[in-house]
Amino acid sequence: MVSRGTPAMSMAGDLDPWQVSSELRVDIFLSQPREASVRLWNAARDVLNEEERQRARRFVFDRDRDMYVFSHGLLRLLLARYMVADPRELTFASAPGGRPELVSPSSAPIRFNLSHTDGLVGCILTQKADCGLDVEQIGRVDYRHLVPTALAPEERSALLGLAEADRSDRFCEIWTLKEAYLKGRGLGISYPIRNISFSGFRR
């Protein structure tokens, strides 16, 4: 998913999902921290465990600290809602590749992924199936120096076939798709994403 300027959608304020599948339940929650209610902010802060609080205190900049607190607190609230559990009692572990997974409670087969960028937090939850999500703000980075390491040859050729004005947005679409795929597969950020190729993007 991509965000242009100030993101337009805010669904997690009321904890209402964007359901994207009917056969296998897949829910995506999007929230703008700067637009979230005081009640949701307070709830996000209150459910963090001591390890998360200590990590939050290590951030140098307030904006990074706030984003960490809000996103990880929101994840706990969403998972707890699905499992009818106490969000403070959830425990996590890192799978090989660094993907976080729920350890306790283990009664519900919930899979999840979390991503955030300036002004937007996204969370995806599914039952049983692995999932990945990535959100980025369009225009945040200069895409041109990333093309050789991020795109497969056929993707690079397709990108260069576009008008210059369209290339940045298209690169961001491919980039977020690949990041979500890596996260969903648990491959880790060190995996060479130019070895992954996606097709079907409209010119």
Side-chain angles (χ1 to χ4, degrees), residues 35 48 51 62 75-76 95-96 103-104 132 162 169 175 178 197-198:
E35 302 298 327
L48 297 181
E51 180 182 352
D62 289 345
L75 174 63
R76 283 181 171 273
V103 175
S104 176
L162 298 176
D169 286 6
W175 175 274
K178 290 191 174 194
S197 177
F198 290 98

Side-chain angles (χ1 to χ4, degrees), residues 87-179:
R88 299 172 183 84
E89 295 181 357
L90 303 180
T91 59
F92 303 89
S94 293
R99 181 178 62 190
E101 295 184 350
L102 190 64
V103 175
S104 176
S106 58
S107 58
I110 298 295
R111 309 296 288 173
F112 66 91
N113 202 237
L114 179 69
S115 183
H116 57 77
T117 189
D118 183 32
L120 183 66
V121 174
C123 182
I124 183 172
L125 294 93
T126 72
Q127 296 175 331
K128 300 181 180 181
D130 288 338
C131 58
L133 175 74
D134 188 57
V135 294
E136 296 288 345
Q137 187 173 59
I138 291 176
R140 186 174 63 88
V141 296
D142 184 350
Y143 77 95
R144 287 169 291 189
H145 73 281
L146 295 172
V147 168
T149 57
L151 300 188
E154 55 270 31
E155 292 171 330
R156 184 175 182 177
S157 177
L159 185 75
L160 294 177
L162 298 176
E164 176 64 33
D166 298 328
R167 292 177 187 173
S168 179
D169 286 6
R170 180 57 49 81
F171 177 85
C172 197
E173 291 175 0
I174 300 172
W175 175 274
T176 53
L177 178 59
K178 290 191 174 194
E179 289 289 307

Side-chain angles (χ1 to χ4, degrees), residues 50-94:
E50 185 55 33
E51 180 182 352
E52 290 166 328
R53 294 176 192 276
Q54 290 180 6
R55 182 174 178 183
R57 287 193 287 266
R58 290 197 292 268
F59 283 97
V60 175
F61 299 107
D62 289 345
R63 67 174 184 273
D64 297 329
R65 182 183 307 109
D66 289 345
M67 180 61 80
Y68 176 85
V69 168
F70 184 83
S71 60
H72 285 77
L74 181 65
L75 174 63
R76 283 181 171 273
L77 293 169
L78 293 172
L79 287 171
R81 176 182 175 182
Y82 270 62
M83 296 181 291
V84 193
D86 186 336
R88 299 172 183 84
E89 295 181 357
L90 303 180
T91 59
F92 303 89
S94 293

